[in-house]
Amino acid sequence: MTVRRNVTPWASAALVLTALLATSCAREKDNDARPAASSSSPTAHGYVEGAKEAAEQQSRLILNDPADGDSRVLDLITGKVHKTAGIEGANRLGTDGRFGYFQTSDGTHVLDSGAWTVDHGDHVHYYSAAIRNVGEFPVSRRAQVRSDVVVTAVTDTAGKSVLYDRSKLEKGEIASSRTLPGTYTGAVVPFEEHLLAFADEGDAAQLVVLDRKGKRVASPDAECETPRGDAVTRRGVVLGCADGALLVRAEDGDFTAEKIPYSEDVPTQERATSFRQRPGSDTLTAPAGDNAVWVLDVTEQTWTRVDTGRVVAASTAGEGSPLLVLESDGSLHGYDIATGKHIARTERLLTGKKPAGTDDSAPVIEVDRSRAYVNDAQGKKVYEIDYNDDLRVARSFDLDIEPVLMAETGR
């Protein structure tokens, strides 16, 4: 196994950019800087106590074997594998870019991966810190967890949603701030200092906007039949519906919702019900049944169906990058999104025979700015793929556990 040190194609530029941004950040208003405890001089803009700031993204992979609970965090910059406390019986693993959320029969276990990005709009800060177990949200195994920089909303299968103080999580504490009144369909999504939710009103769910206390402050004229799936993009929040998706935006405190319909009638089993993307990207992917993938271009507001082999997992970096599809033959395939043409394929990556599908224990594809990652549980490996170089296997990581569940943080 080799170790990557600033090998991403944007790393050199990031070093220069960080130096420039440090100067520009220092020129921002004084109220953007926090005063140091022992000095009259302000601390650097973007300062986070206990964390190290870096010039490039500090990507890490959270890995877990549900059978025996063994968990690891793989640092993709140094190649070092960190052991963490065991988490047995996890059936799903989600992330908000920093924290890993392990769904178990007893609740949702929270792990701080110690890697995250702070986006200031015109520039970003990259941080790393110690890995630590935070504790558990006492909710059902199928709870849906969504976060922004202020709150983490945890919605259980009965539609009850509890808000947790994000700043407390960052300090290693779990502290609920309030339980929202009423029940909602699907995940409650924090967005633009508010919460997006679906209220059951009639035949279809009605989109509502709540303040952080749970009070309804807006009801955009938007209904959604059978809401499933959501994703945050730079152009707004995408919410999946039976006939396509809703794109919810906010401007000057006003919330609008625009439908992005399918171009044709889509059978129930072929609808997009879960989205994968490179974080921040405006290009989303979702399985379209067993043998095809939907690509939703949020900028152009168009759906494209790409016929593939039998789909195990799919994702894309967007912005002209190929559609990546892990198929039942155990290989990663690349497709041109515009034409649907098959353009690349790796050798077989999966050691065992894994049935196609999107069940919670199926392999996944995690995508960042220059690489994609595929977990081979039975082979006890993770593969790093350069998707801009004909799906070249750039590195492989040998592990001492079966990485059945995987999620990337630091993005």
Side-chain angles (χ1 to χ4, degrees), residues 124-301:
V124 295
H125 295 272
Y126 304 111
Y127 294 105
S128 63
I131 302 163
R132 60 182 171 183
N133 287 285
V134 179
E136 288 192 359
F137 297 140
V139 291
S140 66
R141 60 182 293 183
R142 288 287 175 176
Q144 299 188 74
V145 184
R146 303 292 185 268
S147 297
D148 65 7
V149 297
V150 178
V151 299
T152 296
V154 182
T155 309
D156 67 18
T157 53
K160 295 296 293 183
S161 187
V162 180
L163 303 185
Y164 290 86
D165 188 329
R166 173 78 177 204
S167 66
K168 296 291 186 181
L169 288 181
E170 293 170 356
K171 294 177 182 178
E173 306 170 17
I174 289 182
S176 62
S177 58
R178 69 180 62 251
T179 298
L180 298 182
T183 59
Y184 299 97
T185 300
V188 172
V189 182
F191 177 60
E192 292 291 332
E193 301 180 10
H194 289 76
L195 305 166
L196 304 181
F198 283 112
D200 282 324
E201 297 180 356
D203 295 334
Q206 173 70 43
L207 176 67
V208 295
V209 181
L210 313 173
D211 64 17
R212 294 298 168 89
K213 295 182 179 180
K215 179 182 177 182
R216 187 179 301 191
V217 295
S219 297
D221 185 17
E223 293 185 342
C224 180
E225 181 183 348
T226 320
R228 286 189 64 187
D230 55 89
V232 179
T233 76
R234 291 189 178 274
R235 296 186 180 274
V237 176
V238 173
L239 304 169
C241 304
D243 58 352
L246 289 177
L247 174 60
V248 184
R249 308 188 219 209
E251 185 174 354
D252 298 328
D254 292 328
F255 289 82
T256 60
E258 185 175 1
K259 182 61 68 70
I260 307 178
Y262 295 121
S263 59
E264 57 189 30
D265 289 335
V266 176
T268 300
Q269 67 273 18
E270 296 181 7
R271 295 171 182 169
T273 58
S274 62
F275 297 105
R276 301 283 295 186
Q277 70 190 120
R278 177 179 60 80
S281 171
D282 295 330
T283 306
L284 311 180
T285 67
D290 292 334
N291 298 296
V293 175
W294 287 114
V295 179
L296 173 57
D297 186 325
V298 180
T299 303
E300 299 297 328
Q301 299 192 21

Side-chain angles (χ1 to χ4, degrees), residues 60-64 72-73 87 90 92-103 108-115 131-137 145 147 152 166 169 174 406-410:
R60 293 176 178 177
L61 294 177
I62 301 176
L63 307 163
N64 174 266
R72 303 287 186 268
V73 175
I87 305 169
R92 283 197 300 171
L93 172 60
T95 184
D96 57 12
R98 173 173 178 173
F99 296 95
Y101 301 105
F102 296 82
Q103 306 283 319
T108 300
H109 189 91
V110 184
L111 174 72
D112 186 349
S113 73
I131 302 163
R132 60 182 171 183
N133 287 285
V134 179
E136 288 192 359
F137 297 140
V145 184
S147 297
T152 296
R166 173 78 177 204
L169 288 181
I174 289 182
M406 180 177 78
E408 184 176 358
T409 65

